[in-house]
């Protein structure tokens, strides 16, 4: 599995932007995944930016832009750059080109940029910054990926926030957390397997929360046969998830906690994506790489704790 984070994306665009032509006068982003790289290019080049839908509807009119932006827009000499995050087999790009055929020709040339290219020959792709072959996964679409039905996903810390120490009392406070937990992300597609260290006796509350938030899944696997106290004393959270993941045909596990992600990858001998530091843990990862990833995770966690203490 090839993985790229937001940090990878931003760094790549920044150092590769020189490859783009200098006569661009308008940036158009393909919703939604093209927004971030398109905005970065527009800011660096000091160019106007609009969505693909706006562009097709004729919103490239200079009247939409500020006085400074009008110096660039609709000069009739430059080009329009349409930006997306990636291109695979070219199907999405073909649909964009078909949609553009409905727009009246204003004399400007149109070029297409995909930051990441799969390596498959694609007609109509003018620029790309990095070849990332399939299978691949990006931070911004990890939980909206069309292959989600073949993923294992944790619940606490991924779909909803983790309980606080006070909430995790295995009593009334935990019951309130299970009912009222704040959702962090709403996946687009059905998840293959939800695997959690929540106890089996909390299945009704967990299923209720998932149903109320419209989260679809094929199977919910919870920890059975132990108490919350036994689970905490054993400290083997990653062991349970790794053992279950190993026996499933899933291709990746999405986990929130770095140390659990490491353990799951080692036990299952399959990759694990950690959402706390947005790093991909692999079973063949050496200790230096593991320590570097953990250090970033600890710094992130310390910063988050400090912001909470300061009320930010």
């Amino acid at each position: 599995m090839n993985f790229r984070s937001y940090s990878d994306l931003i760094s790549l665009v920044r150092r590769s932007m020189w490859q783009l032509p200098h006569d661009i006068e308008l940036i158009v982003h393909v919703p939604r995944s093209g927004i971030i790289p398109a905005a970065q290019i527009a800011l660096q080049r000091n160019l106007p930016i609009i969505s693909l839908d706006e562009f097709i509807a004729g919103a490239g009119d200079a009247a939409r832009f500020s006085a400074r932006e009008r110096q660039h827009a609709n000069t009739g000499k430059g080009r329009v750059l349409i930006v997306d995050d990636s291109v695979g087999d070219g199907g999405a790009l073909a649909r964009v080109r078909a949609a553009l055929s409905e727009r009246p020709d204003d004399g400007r040339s149109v070029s297409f940029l995909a930051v990441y290219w799969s390596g498959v020959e694609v007609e109509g792709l003018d620029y790309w910054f990095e070849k990332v072959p399939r299978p691949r996964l990006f931070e911004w679409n990890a939980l909206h990926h069309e292959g989600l039905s073949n993923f294992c996903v944790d619940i606490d810390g991924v779909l909803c926030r983790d309980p606080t120490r006070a909430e995790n009392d295995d009593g009334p406070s935990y019951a309130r957390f299970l009912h009222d937990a704040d959702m962090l992300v709403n996946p687009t597609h059905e998840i293959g397997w939800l695997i959690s260290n929540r106890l089996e006796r909390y299945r009704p509350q967990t299923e209720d929360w998932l149903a109320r938030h419209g989260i679809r899944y094929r199977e919910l696997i919870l920890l059975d046969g132990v108490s919350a106290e036994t689970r905490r004393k054993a400290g083997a959270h990653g062991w349970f998830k790794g053992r279950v993941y190993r026996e499933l045909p899933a291709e990746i596990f999405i986990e929130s906690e770095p140390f659990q992600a490491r353990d799951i990858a080692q036990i299952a001998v399959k990759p694990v994506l950690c959402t706390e530091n947005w790093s991909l843990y692999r079973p063949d990862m050496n200790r230096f790489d593991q320590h570097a990833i953990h250090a970033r995770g600890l710094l992130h966690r310390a910063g988050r704790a400090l912001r909470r203490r300061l009320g930010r």
Side-chain angles (χ1 to χ4, degrees):
M1 179 68 70
N2 295 300
F3 174 72
R4 296 294 183 271
S5 66
Y6 268 122
S7 178
D8 296 326
L9 171 71
I10 292 170
S11 176
L12 176 63
V13 172
R14 184 178 295 128
R15 67 176 185 267
S16 305
M17 209 178 303
W18 63 270
Q19 301 177 36
L20 299 175
H22 295 285
D23 61 346
I24 300 170
E25 63 179 24
L26 177 65
I27 303 295
V28 176
H29 67 79
V30 177
R32 294 175 291 181
S33 54
I35 295 175
I36 299 298
Q40 189 176 3
I41 294 169
L43 285 169
Q44 292 293 324
R45 291 285 185 94
N46 195 23
L47 293 170
I49 177 173
I50 58 176
S51 72
L52 178 64
D53 292 340
E54 290 174 316
F55 180 64
I56 293 172
D61 194 325
R64 290 182 55 87
F65 307 130
S66 66
R68 181 172 179 79
E69 288 170 333
R70 289 193 192 105
Q71 296 175 9
H72 299 287
N74 285 335
T75 63
K77 299 177 182 178
R79 76 176 68 220
V80 176
L81 182 68
I82 297 180
V83 181
D84 205 354
D85 67 329
S86 65
V87 63
D89 57 11
L93 179 57
R95 289 191 292 273
V96 170
R97 283 192 171 276
L100 286 174
S101 66
E102 303 296 322
R103 188 180 189 277
D105 184 5
D106 60 6
R108 290 183 292 184
S109 61
V110 176
S111 296
F112 294 83
L113 162 69
V115 179
Y116 296 110
W117 172 50
S118 67
V120 176
E121 196 67 32
V122 174
E123 183 179 355
L125 180 63
D126 300 297
Y127 304 98
W128 55 273
F129 291 158
E130 183 183 3
K131 179 182 175 181
V132 181
R134 291 171 167 170
R136 61 187 186 180
L137 193 63
F138 304 124
E139 176 181 344
W140 49 96
N141 74 355
L143 283 155
H144 304 287
H145 194 276
E146 58 187 11
L148 199 58
S149 63
N150 200 35
F151 291 4
C152 292
V153 179
D154 188 20
I155 298 175
D156 299 329
V158 178
L159 299 182
C160 70
R161 67 174 178 84
D162 282 313
T164 64
R165 186 180 295 273
E167 289 171 325
N168 203 7
D169 65 351
D170 204 26
S173 295
Y174 189 59
R176 285 193 295 272
F177 165 77
L178 291 174
H179 186 271
D180 301 328
D182 301 303
M183 185 171 65
L184 297 179
V185 62
N186 188 358
T188 301
H189 304 286
E190 180 185 70
I191 297 168
W193 300 271
L194 288 175
I195 304 176
S196 172
N197 283 313
R198 291 185 180 188
L199 301 182
E200 180 62 38
R201 70 170 179 264
Y202 295 120
R203 176 176 292 273
Q205 297 94 322
T206 300
E207 290 178 341
D208 174 70
W209 185 90
L210 292 166
R212 283 189 289 112
H213 290 82
I215 296 174
R216 296 172 293 136
Y217 58 93
R218 193 162 60 246
E219 186 175 0
L220 173 63
I221 303 173
L222 303 178
L223 186 59
D224 196 11
V226 299
S227 67
E229 183 179 1
T230 301
R231 179 193 61 190
R232 284 192 288 268
K233 285 182 178 178
H237 298 79
W239 174 83
F240 168 69
K241 296 174 183 176
R243 184 172 57 86
V244 174
Y245 177 32
R246 183 179 60 200
E247 301 302 321
L248 294 172
E251 60 181 317
I252 197 165
F253 194 116
I254 300 181
E255 162 65 38
S256 65
E257 207 281 322
F259 289 99
Q260 287 192 49
R262 177 202 61 190
D263 293 344
I264 295 167
Q266 294 296 329
I267 293 167
V269 198
K270 289 193 282 187
V272 178
L273 177 62
C274 179
T275 59
E276 181 164 303
N277 52 28
W278 286 108
S279 297
L280 187 69
Y281 288 76
R282 303 182 309 275
D284 60 346
M285 184 178 291
N286 62 44
R287 286 191 177 276
F288 179 81
D289 289 338
Q290 289 181 9
H291 290 323
I293 289 175
H294 287 328
R296 290 199 299 271
L298 291 172
L299 285 172
H300 176 80
R301 187 178 299 178
R304 190 172 58 188
L306 179 60
R307 288 192 295 273
R308 282 201 304 266
R309 180 166 293 186
L310 296 175
R312 297 178 182 176

